[in-house]
């Protein structure tokens, strides 16, 4: 798998921190050339610098997934820097936890624009380059929250994460004629700074509910994304892979506790 990623041009939106950073690190460690994208240029460049220091090829770029012109500039720059685009990891996202009675229409729009419309805009901007690659790969970061599970405070977020899968199903059929595959990773609870911000009691509670009794690491999500992008996964499209330590499997809390 690692050999087929060597030299590939990869964009990771939201690659400056959290899960995106793990995805970017895994691709860089396999010899891919990685464009790390976030709105904060300094953060994206600092992350790229870490990977370059470890012997990888990476650079930062500032772009906003909610703006089409910004996504077009990102795609153009990736192609200029790295000779095309082979892989897009549409990962940038946000998840402010607000229960519906307090949730404002403005916050709803912000989350939908970033997570769902941002996925569409990043994919659309990269299509011309992924076509030229002749083996283009799109890997979307969805979630278990929305498509499979529910959690108070995340109606807006869950709707976008389920929406990404709906987008993927039609996109993979449309883009198959260009030999572009579209797949999604569905992380469970993964240790990131953003997740830690939800508080220690949330982290402890989640750990107890996961059969493997730990949260995931960002690199573990990166390995799943790298698999979908590899030559070995060339016949897989329109699929989703849950990476959650078994969190969604027990049929009840009793099933988990009696193990
Ligand atoms: P995070 O640590 O908050 O990182 C978010 C990244 O997205 C940052 O690099 C941020 O950079 C970028 N970003 C946010 N809005 C952007 C925009 N409008 N344009 C461009 N970049 C933007 O979040 P995370 O936890 O790693 O989450 C990443 C993805 O994983 C999301 O799609 C999320 O839904 C999914 N996920 C996370 C978990 C988890 O346990 N953490 C679980 C399931 C799914 P800037 O702020 O500089 O723009």
């Amino acid at each position: 798998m690692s050999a087929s990623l060597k030299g590939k041009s990869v964009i990771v939106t939201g690659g400056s921190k959290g899960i995106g950073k793990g995805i970017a690190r895994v691709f860089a460690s396999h010899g891919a050339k990685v464009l790390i994208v976030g709105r904060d240029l300094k953060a994206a460049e600092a992350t790229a610098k870490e990977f370059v220091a470890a012997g990888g090829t990476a650079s930062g770029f500032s772009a906003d997934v909610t703006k089409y012109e910004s996504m077009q500039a990102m795609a153009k720059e990736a192609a200029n820097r790295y000779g095309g685009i082979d892989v897009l990891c549409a990962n940038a996202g946000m998840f402010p936890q607000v229960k519906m009675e307090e949730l404002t229409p403005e916050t709803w729009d912000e989350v939908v624009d970033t997570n769902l419309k941002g996925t569409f805009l990043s994919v659309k901007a990269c299509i011309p380059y992924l076509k030229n690659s002749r083996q283009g790969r799109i890997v979307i970061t969805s979630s278990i929250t929305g498509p499979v599970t529910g959690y108070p405070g995340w109606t807006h977020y869950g709707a976008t994460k389920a929406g990404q899968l709906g987008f993927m199903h039609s996109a993979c059929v449309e883009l198959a004629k260009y030999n572009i595959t579209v797949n999604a990773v569905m992380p469970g609870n993964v240790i990131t700074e953003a997740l830690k911000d939800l508080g220690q009691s949330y982290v402890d509670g989640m750990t107890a509910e996961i059969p493997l009794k730990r949260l995931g690491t960002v690199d573990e999500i990166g390995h799943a994304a790298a698999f979908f992008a590899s030559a070995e996964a060339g016949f897989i499209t329109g699929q989703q892979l849950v990476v959650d330590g078994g969190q969604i499997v027990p049929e009840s809390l009793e099933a988990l506790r009696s193990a």
Side-chain angles (χ1 to χ4, degrees):
M1 177 175 102
S2 54
S4 72
L5 297 175
K6 196 169 168 55
K8 296 286 186 195
S9 169
V10 179
I11 294 177
V12 183
T13 67
S16 54
K17 60 180 179 172
I19 286 178
K21 184 172 178 179
I23 293 173
R25 178 167 39 237
V26 169
F27 277 101
S29 72
H30 288 324
K33 300 173 283 190
V34 187
L35 191 74
I36 292 162
V37 178
R39 290 161 301 180
D40 180 344
L41 179 61
K42 277 197 177 137
E45 285 180 335
T47 297
K49 223 171 156 184
E50 274 183 45
F51 301 155
V52 170
T57 303
S59 57
F61 187 75
S62 171
D64 185 339
V65 297
T66 67
K67 298 188 167 62
Y68 186 47
E69 311 73 52
S70 190
M71 289 296 92
Q72 287 178 303
M74 170 192 79
K76 193 172 172 192
E77 189 61 23
N80 285 344
R81 286 188 200 179
Y82 297 136
I85 302 172
D86 301 299
V87 181
L88 167 67
C89 295
N91 166 82
M94 59 186 298
F95 38 94
Q97 190 175 16
V98 192
K99 288 187 184 156
M100 225 192 322
E101 287 174 279
E102 287 81 46
L103 179 61
T104 61
E106 290 73 27
T107 299
W108 174 278
D109 285 346
E110 197 186 350
V111 171
V112 172
D113 279 358
T114 304
N115 298 0
L116 186 54
K117 190 175 175 190
T119 298
F120 158 63
L121 295 180
S122 59
V123 167
K124 183 173 168 64
C126 290
I127 287 174
Y129 305 93
L130 292 166
K131 274 165 78 171
N132 283 342
S133 162
R134 299 190 183 282
Q135 45 187 356
R137 299 277 194 272
I138 297 166
V139 184
I140 294 168
T141 308
S142 173
S143 176
I144 58 170
T145 310
V148 187
T149 62
Y151 204 103
W154 278 317
T155 53
H156 49 347
Y157 176 75
T160 63
K161 295 286 126 178
Q164 285 178 305
L165 299 184
F167 169 81
M168 172 186 76
H169 290 139
S170 292
C172 85
V173 179
E174 276 190 32
L175 299 178
K177 60 180 175 285
Y178 307 125
N179 200 31
I180 296 171
T181 67
V182 192
N183 293 290
V185 178
M186 296 164 70
N189 282 271
V190 174
I191 308 159
T192 59
E193 290 308 315
L195 191 104
K196 281 183 196 155
D197 288 346
L198 296 173
Q200 193 57 42
S201 70
Y202 175 86
V203 173
D204 292 344
M206 289 318 311
T207 303
E209 306 299 348
I210 296 171
L212 286 176
K213 295 297 174 226
R214 66 176 178 85
L215 304 193
T217 68
V218 294
D219 285 25
E220 285 172 321
I221 307 306
H223 293 307
F227 169 67
F228 278 136
S230 69
E232 289 79 356
F235 201 48
I236 302 174
T237 195
Q239 300 304 307
Q240 56 235 30
L241 180 61
V242 172
V243 184
D244 73 340
Q247 186 180 327
I248 63 169
V249 178
E251 68 176 43
S252 65
L253 287 178
E254 181 51 28
L256 186 67
R257 285 176 193 140
S258 63

